Amino acid sequence: MSDAERLIAAARTAAANAYAPYSGFSVGAALLMSDGDVIGGANFENASYGLTLCAETVATATASAAGRLREIVAVGIVGGMTGKDGIEPVLPCGRCRQVLNEAAQVGKRDLAIYCSGLTGGPVEEYRLSDLLPHAFGPASLGLA
């Protein structure tokens, strides 16, 4: 199984645990770590919408809490309306691109990003640097 297939499968598993009672839009993310481990995350909505956490942010924070932020090498993301046939690839929002960029710069990597629909469909591959060109991050502050 390729990294993309493995991450998309793990992201779909994570999406099944999404807490999305307000939007009904479930998202799962899976991070591939440098040693082959996979860390997952699902979106977590809040009645105060601005406090909602995206799946990519949850997964990245989980990796950071485990002391593994520098080890992220690739990301799989799926999303779609819960209970519907979601086959259109879902890409990370701007905030998540910035969060992933922090991990990428700390780890000195250009992350591979694999995106697919919640229940199937094609897998699209991107580089984080293509999704967030000229990014601001630790390197901008002389820290990476």
Side-chain angles (χ1 to χ4, degrees), residues 10-25:
R12 286 196 178 111
T13 298
N17 295 316
Y19 179 72
Y22 307 107
S23 72
F25 196 87

Side-chain angles (χ1 to χ4, degrees), residues 73 109-114 125-132:
V73 297
R109 293 183 170 91
D110 186 11
L111 303 180
I113 310 287
Y114 305 106
E125 180 179 353
Y126 302 91
R127 301 306 297 186
L128 181 59
S129 60
D130 293 328
L131 296 178
L132 189 64

